[in-house]
Amino acid sequence: PGRPVTAIAAEPGRALVLFNVEPAADLSADPASLGAAAFTLVLSPFAQDVPGAGAAVHLPIGSFAETAGTFVNAALEWQSWN
């Protein structure tokens, strides 16, 4: 725990778990370098491939919009949904 993404990408280890991450959009490291891990588990609301991953498991999770809730926007107005 506490390792930066660049260190994980340089030495990914035996297993890698990505929770609610889109590697191509969210990470500053090259997403293809994450495929060097022996096993990759992706938990994401989006169907995606981890570039270079030989053995990957993709498990779906719900997005924030699938449950009722409220956000406060930049104008300090409440935005609710059901």
Side-chain angles (χ1 to χ4, degrees):
R3 292 175 57 198
V5 172
T6 52
I8 294 170
E11 296 177 28
R14 294 183 5 204
L16 180 65
V17 176
L18 300 175
F19 182 80
N20 204 19
V21 174
E22 291 182 79
D26 295 337
L27 304 179
S28 60
D30 178 19
S33 63
L34 298 176
F39 179 80
T40 304
L41 171 63
V42 177
L43 296 105
S44 174
F46 308 105
Q48 63 185 340
D49 288 326
V50 177
V57 174
H58 299 258
L59 298 176
I61 60 173
S63 72
F64 72 92
E66 293 180 20
T67 59
T70 302
F71 276 139
V72 178
N73 65 19
L76 300 179
E77 299 171 342
W78 289 36
Q79 296 177 310
S80 300
W81 65 93
N82 294 329

